[in-house]
């Protein structure tokens, strides 16, 4: 029996290795259109490979998978993050869990995982063909099983060969991108991080929270990336023009007013701009004070009137900026869209249009926020396909 795997990325290699372990007699070939395999794994996590997450802080998969959470909830019953952790450790890749619950190789180097995959593939006789694009299933007629693991595609045209087979395609649009902000004043704070920010696209349900990094073009960091993921389709439809409200402290307005009042009583003679009673970087505090308080460079806490106090509290909890575009995270570009999930069997990920054709990884309309969730989806879906092909072989 022969299996063709189209795409030499995370899902493709994980599928191939697991299938070979389940069915040693299977002849497996990975086809990769580019010169190098596992390129995205190499770049993941800034070159360290954020290979999964502990999920310790996740109460619902919808928090981290804007698309595909219902399907993944079912599939995680077969192979989840705990299984991933055990699998890598058993294959010689020691892992560590960071305080933010992201999981990395102990060596903090993505090549540990890449080398492990390549060694396993070589040891088990998996064939790897690079510079070998596939754009027709007819070219794979000699294979008994075909698995498509080509990853996300930013262009619908790249999926037309699968659309011709009858598969409905969810329009691919960018996800996990940084936000360009129109207001130039915020750009001067480049490099500043607000550790506990909450973001909300005004007039929508889309929200996120976490560390927010100010860049020379706008906002990045986990909070911005999570927001871009959840609001990916809405932002695309609105041409990346919207207003975003920022609560720099992730605190309710009344609590902020109370803390400001305490500062006013305890330090009446200190300059407001020089003394922050709240946990914000100095430059960011000065910026926000400058937007809310008259004569910010000379005003002392005892001189802060009731109106200005309320204005400052509102500035801290509802600071409005204009999104004027996006910037792609080139190192870890993710798209939402791809093969619609109703086009596959929800237990095996086999195509409903063609027998023995399977899909795994980001080619499916599944995508997650930053933090190891996209790679976890790749491992899970790849394992499910490997198991399904093996079961068919043993029928």
């Amino acid at each position: 029996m022969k299996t063709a795997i189209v795409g030499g990325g995370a899902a493709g290699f994980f599928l191939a290795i697991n299938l070979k372990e389940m069915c040693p007699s299977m002849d497996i070939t990975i086809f990769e259109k580019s010169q190098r395999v596992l390129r995205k794994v190499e770049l993941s996590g800034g070159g360290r490979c954020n290979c999964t997450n502990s999920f310790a802080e996740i109460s619902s998969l919808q928090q981290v998978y804007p698309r595909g959470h219902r399907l993944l909830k079912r599939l995680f019953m077969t192979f989840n993050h705990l299984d991933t952790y055990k699998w890598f450790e058993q294959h010689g890749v020691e892992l560590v869990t960071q305080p933010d619950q992201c999981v990395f190789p102990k060596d903090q180097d993505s090549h540990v995982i890449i080398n492990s995959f390549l060694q396993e593939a070589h040891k088990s006789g998996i064939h790897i063909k690079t510079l070998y694009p596939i754009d027709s299933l007819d070219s794979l007629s000699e294979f008994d099983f075909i698995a498509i693991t080509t990853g996300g595609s930013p262009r619908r045209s790249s999926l037309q060969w699968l659309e011709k087979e009858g598969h409905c395609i969810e329009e691919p649009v960018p996800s996990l991108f940084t936000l360009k902000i129109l207001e130039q004043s915020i750009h001067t704070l480049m490099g500043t991080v607000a550790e506990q920010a909450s973001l909300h696209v005004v007039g929508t349900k889309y929200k996120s929270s976490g560390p927010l990094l100010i860049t020379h073009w706008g906002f990045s960091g986990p909070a911005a990336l999570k927001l871009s993921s959840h609001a990916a389709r809405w932002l695309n439809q609105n041409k990346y023009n919207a207003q975003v409200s920022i609560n720099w402290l992730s605190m309710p307005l009344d609590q902020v007013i109370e803390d400001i009042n305490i500062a006013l009583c305890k330090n009446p003679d200190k300059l407001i701009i020089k003394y922050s009673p709240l946990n914000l970087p100095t430059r960011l505090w000065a910026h926000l004070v400058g937007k809310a308080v008259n004569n910010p460079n000379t005003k002392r806490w005892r001189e802060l009137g009731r109106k200005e106090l309320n204005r400052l509290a509102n500035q801290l909890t509802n600071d409005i900026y204009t999104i004027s575009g996006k910037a792609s995270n080139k190192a870890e570009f993710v798209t939402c869209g791809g093969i619609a999930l109703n086009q596959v069997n929800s237990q095996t990920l086999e195509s409903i249009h063609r027998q023995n054709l399977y899909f795994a990884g980001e080619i499916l309309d599944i995508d997650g926020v930053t933090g190891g969730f996209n790679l976890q989806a790749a491992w899970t879906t790849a394992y499910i396909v490997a198991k399904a092909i093996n079961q068919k072989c043993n029928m």
Side-chain angles (χ1 to χ4, degrees):
M1 302 290 276
K2 300 175 68 176
T3 296
I5 298 174
V6 184
F13 269 82
F14 202 72
L15 197 166
I17 294 166
N18 277 283
L19 178 56
K20 194 69 175 179
E21 289 177 349
M22 296 173 189
C23 184
S25 63
M26 179 69 72
D27 186 293
I28 302 172
T29 302
I30 297 173
F31 295 94
E32 169 56 43
K33 68 178 180 180
S34 63
Q35 192 168 9
R36 295 174 63 187
V37 295
L38 297 165
R39 178 63 174 160
K40 205 167 183 179
V41 172
E42 182 179 32
L43 297 172
S44 167
R48 297 184 297 136
C49 192
N50 183 186
C51 55
T52 187
N53 193 281
S54 76
F55 285 75
E57 298 176 353
I58 308 305
S59 58
S60 166
L61 289 185
Q62 191 171 7
Q63 290 176 249
V64 291
Y65 292 106
R67 288 150 292 272
H69 57 276
R70 292 186 182 88
L71 176 61
L72 284 176
K73 184 177 181 180
R74 175 197 294 268
L75 301 184
F76 275 17
M77 295 174 68
T78 300
F79 193 91
N80 62 19
H81 58 288
L82 299 176
D83 299 305
T84 294
Y85 203 108
K86 185 186 300 183
W87 191 95
F88 277 108
E89 294 263 335
Q90 289 174 345
H91 288 78
V93 179
E94 196 172 350
L95 302 178
V96 292
T97 304
Q98 296 186 162
D100 63 0
Q101 306 308 314
C102 294
V103 178
F104 289 86
K106 185 179 180 181
D107 290 349
Q108 300 292 305
D109 186 352
S110 61
H111 291 95
V112 174
I113 289 178
I114 292 170
N115 292 340
S116 174
F117 280 176
L118 292 175
Q119 289 166 10
E120 290 289 340
H122 177 74
K123 182 175 67 176
S124 59
I126 295 168
H127 312 293
I128 303 170
K129 295 187 177 183
T130 57
L131 295 175
Y132 208 117
I134 300 292
D135 57 10
S136 169
L137 295 178
D138 293 338
S139 64
L140 300 172
S141 58
E142 65 179 287
F143 292 91
D144 302 287
F145 303 97
I146 301 170
I148 310 297
T149 62
T150 50
S153 171
R155 294 177 298 277
R156 188 187 186 98
S157 58
S158 301
L159 303 173
Q160 284 182 343
W161 65 291
L162 295 169
E163 197 169 15
K164 289 177 181 176
E165 295 288 333
H167 300 99
C168 294
I169 306 296
E170 294 289 350
E171 192 68 32
V173 302
S175 181
L176 284 188
F177 49 83
T178 58
L179 306 174
K180 289 184 178 179
I181 297 299
L182 182 65
E183 290 80 4
Q184 295 292 315
S185 59
I186 196 70
H187 301 171
T188 63
L189 304 182
M190 176 182 64
T192 300
V193 177
E195 293 292 345
Q196 297 293 333
S198 295
L199 280 65
H200 174 216
V201 179
V202 177
T204 76
K205 64 181 180 180
Y206 301 112
K207 299 178 181 180
S208 70
S209 60
L212 180 65
L213 169 66
I214 301 172
T215 71
H216 65 278
W217 64 83
F219 298 135
S220 185
L225 293 173
K226 281 192 282 187
L227 186 69
S228 75
S229 180
H230 283 282
R233 290 203 179 280
W234 188 93
L235 287 170
N236 178 264
Q237 291 165 2
N238 287 273
K239 303 186 185 303
Y240 304 98
N241 290 303
Q243 286 193 312
V244 60
S245 167
I246 302 177
N247 183 328
W248 293 102
L249 302 157
S250 293
M251 289 169 57
L253 178 63
D254 57 352
Q255 180 64 56
V256 173
I257 291 174
E258 182 179 335
D259 288 352
I260 292 175
N261 273 314
I262 292 172
L264 190 154
C265 295
K266 286 186 174 181
N267 301 279
D269 293 322
K270 287 190 176 182
L271 291 171
I272 298 172
I273 204 165
K274 294 291 186 180
Y275 173 69
S276 167
L278 301 159
N279 187 27
L280 283 177
T282 303
R283 287 198 301 157
L284 177 58
W285 170 257
H287 169 76
L288 296 169
V289 169
K291 292 175 71 174
V293 175
N294 297 324
N295 305 314
N297 293 320
T298 59
K299 184 159 289 186
R300 300 183 186 277
W301 277 105
R302 58 180 163 75
E303 299 171 326
L304 189 67
R306 177 59 54 185
K307 286 185 178 179
E308 281 188 313
L309 186 153
N310 289 332
R311 198 158 64 229
L312 177 57
N314 189 68
Q315 197 74 57
L316 291 162
T317 57
N318 185 31
D319 195 17
I320 305 294
Y321 294 91
T322 304
I323 298 173
S324 60
K326 66 174 180 63
S328 65
N329 185 349
K330 295 180 181 178
E332 299 180 81
F333 188 71
V334 173
T335 60
C336 68
I339 301 296
L341 299 186
N342 62 6
Q343 301 296 287
V344 297
N345 181 304
S346 62
Q347 294 181 321
T348 64
L349 302 182
E350 184 177 14
S351 166
I352 64 171
H353 299 287
R354 180 164 175 154
Q355 271 195 329
N356 300 333
L357 173 65
Y358 299 82
F359 298 95
E362 206 185 324
I363 184 70
L364 292 162
D365 186 27
I366 298 173
D367 64 288
V369 303
T370 186
F373 301 105
N374 283 294
L375 279 177
Q376 181 56 55
W379 313 138
T380 294
T381 54
Y383 185 89
I384 294 298
V385 171
K387 184 179 179 182
I389 292 174
N390 178 56
Q391 287 177 337
K392 270 204 174 183
C393 289
N394 293 320
M395 287 176 63

